[in-house]
Amino acid sequence: MKSADLCFAVIIIFLYLFLNSALNLLNRWALGLYGLKFPLFMTSAHMIFGSCALSPLMLLRESYSSRHALVLQNDWKGLTIVAAFNGFQIACNNASLTVMELSMNQVIRASIPVLVALIAICVEAKVPTKGEVVCLFVISIGVMLAVWEESRNALLGIILTLASTIMQSIQMSVSGSVMSGRSGKLDSFQMTFYTGPVAFVSLLPFAMVTEFNVFAECLVTRPIASMGFLLASCCIAVVYNVVLFQSVRTLSSVGTAILGNVKIVCLLFLSSLLLNELKAWSANQFLGCLLTFVSAGAYSYLKATAVKPPPPVQPVAEREPLVQSPSNRQAN
């Protein structure tokens, strides 16, 4: 790797870790500790702001603008499903931060590989290997150890995080087929642009019904904090999505898997340092946390380094014609 490419990769890694940590910490502080309890309005703002921010690129660049009609005509059903699941899974995750610690939220979300594997077995008939089964089993045990005692204090937060995790697992399974749909390959810029308005429309009615009074009160009593939080989180969310897309293209699959686990460790450290979390955790919760993250890292590594089976070789009998041409018979 050239020195310029290495420097660019290092910059992408630090930007990914910084932006992801900043967004999660900001959401937890504002929604849970500061009291701006309007996660649905915040998520709705993120969805529509991302589409608006990307609209100049999507409308002015020929490679994108020339495909709008084709993409919407062929893949609108898949995009609608992805948008609905994505909007509600982010909303549930943000809502969980109003009643539970960010560190516990990350432990539960580390169980995503288990759910994705179960969905892959049911939908795609993909059976995990023995090593992957062991890792998935240990992840499940670790999450149960960590969540068992927390369930007495933050049951609603656990339910919301589990719902978000399940919806994200389904979204990840559907997104793969949509991004390689009938209209050709779609990148993350296109997915964000097309799904944002649909997610916004899906979430806004629930936000108006459940959070309108809270949101209006926050705008009246704390206008600068409320609008500043919304604007800052929207900007970070858009830039983070761009960096996330670039990290997948810049880093190898193994590097991306390792980076995801490094991000979780960084969030645990920062949530303890800045938000004073983890102080009330028991030994069982720390043990469950350790088992979950180590097993998730091992599972990601096994998936990333798995040797893909070679394509089936066509038998010789099928490659040769059953009836020889007259010229071949004369040669023989």
Side-chain angles (χ1 to χ4, degrees), residues 148-200:
W148 178 255
E149 296 187 24
E150 185 71 14
S151 62
R152 306 172 187 173
N153 304 319
L155 181 60
L156 177 60
I158 293 174
I159 294 174
L160 289 172
T161 307
L162 287 174
S164 171
T165 305
I166 293 172
M167 285 188 284
Q168 184 178 11
S169 302
I170 298 174
Q171 175 214 340
M172 291 170 64
S173 300
V174 177
S175 296
S177 60
V178 174
M179 295 183 74
S180 58
R182 292 179 295 175
S183 55
K185 291 186 177 181
L186 303 178
D187 58 31
S188 294
F189 291 103
Q190 292 170 297
M191 293 294 290
T192 302
F193 177 76
Y194 291 128
T195 60
V198 179
F200 172 76

Side-chain angles (χ1 to χ4, degrees), residues 242-263:
V242 175
V243 171
L244 177 62
F245 168 71
Q246 187 60 48
S247 67
V248 175
R249 302 185 65 177
T250 303
L251 306 176
S252 65
S253 56
V254 177
T256 305
I258 295 175
L259 185 61
N261 290 281
V262 172
K263 177 262 299 184

Side-chain angles (χ1 to χ4, degrees), residues 7-321:
C7 292
F8 183 73
V10 171
I11 292 174
I12 289 297
I13 290 173
F14 277 103
L15 283 176
Y16 172 87
L17 295 175
F18 172 77
L19 292 170
N20 186 284
S21 300
L23 186 60
N24 279 283
L25 290 170
L26 177 62
N27 289 345
R28 168 57 183 164
W29 173 80
L31 297 174
L33 302 180
Y34 193 72
L36 302 178
K37 297 184 181 297
F38 44 83
L40 294 181
F41 271 106
M42 184 199 71
T43 307
S44 302
H46 286 185
M47 296 294 103
I48 197 64
F49 187 86
S51 294
C52 293
L54 291 176
S55 58
L57 173 67
M58 303 302 297
L59 297 177
L60 298 179
R61 188 170 179 176
E62 179 65 21
S63 59
Y64 289 137
S65 60
S66 61
R67 297 181 58 197
H68 289 323
L70 179 64
V71 170
L72 294 177
Q73 180 180 358
N74 293 335
D75 297 320
W76 69 271
K77 292 182 180 180
L79 289 171
T80 302
I81 294 173
V82 171
F85 276 103
N86 186 47
F88 281 104
Q89 70 92 3
I90 295 176
C92 287
N93 184 68
N94 290 333
S96 71
L97 296 178
T98 63
V99 293
M100 74 183 306
E101 294 180 346
L102 173 62
S103 50
M104 181 57 63
N105 171 278
Q106 291 296 304
V107 173
I108 298 174
R109 294 187 69 82
S111 63
I112 285 180
V114 179
L115 298 173
V116 173
L118 292 175
I119 294 173
I121 293 174
C122 300
V123 176
E124 305 174 16
K126 292 183 178 179
V127 180
T129 63
K130 293 181 179 180
E132 292 171 358
V133 170
V134 172
C135 292
L136 294 173
F137 177 75
V138 177
I139 290 174
S140 304
I141 297 298
V143 172
M144 285 188 288
L145 280 175
V147 171
W148 178 255
E149 296 187 24
E150 185 71 14
S151 62
R152 306 172 187 173
N153 304 319
L155 181 60
L156 177 60
I158 293 174
I159 294 174
L160 289 172
T161 307
L162 287 174
S164 171
T165 305
I166 293 172
M167 285 188 284
Q168 184 178 11
S169 302
I170 298 174
Q171 175 214 340
M172 291 170 64
S173 300
V174 177
S175 296
S177 60
V178 174
M179 295 183 74
S180 58
R182 292 179 295 175
S183 55
K185 291 186 177 181
L186 303 178
D187 58 31
S188 294
F189 291 103
Q190 292 170 297
M191 293 294 290
T192 302
F193 177 76
Y194 291 128
T195 60
V198 179
F200 172 76
V201 173
S202 301
L203 289 173
L204 189 60
F206 295 93
M208 294 294 292
V209 171
T210 60
E211 297 177 357
F212 179 79
N213 293 333
V214 176
F215 184 59
E217 181 181 356
C218 289
L219 289 179
V220 172
T221 59
R222 290 176 285 186
I224 297 178
S226 300
M227 296 306 299
F229 163 63
L230 281 177
L231 182 60
S233 61
C234 285
C235 293
I236 295 175
V238 172
V239 179
Y240 168 70
N241 287 332
V242 175
V243 171
L244 177 62
F245 168 71
Q246 187 60 48
S247 67
V248 175
R249 302 185 65 177
T250 303
L251 306 176
S252 65
S253 56
V254 177
T256 305
I258 295 175
L259 185 61
N261 290 281
V262 172
K263 177 262 299 184
I264 294 177
V265 175
C266 291
L267 278 175
L268 286 177
F269 172 76
L270 291 173
S271 63
S272 176
L273 178 66
L274 301 177
L275 304 179
N276 295 321
E277 296 183 354
L278 304 181
K279 290 184 177 180
W281 278 32
S282 65
N284 286 338
Q285 288 176 300
F286 281 109
L287 176 61
C289 178
L290 178 63
L291 291 175
T292 299
F293 294 146
V294 172
S295 302
Y299 177 80
S300 299
Y301 180 81
L302 290 175
K303 290 290 289 184
T305 58
V307 179
K308 296 183 179 180
V313 179
Q314 189 178 12
V316 178
E318 295 184 10
R319 295 201 299 264
E320 295 182 350

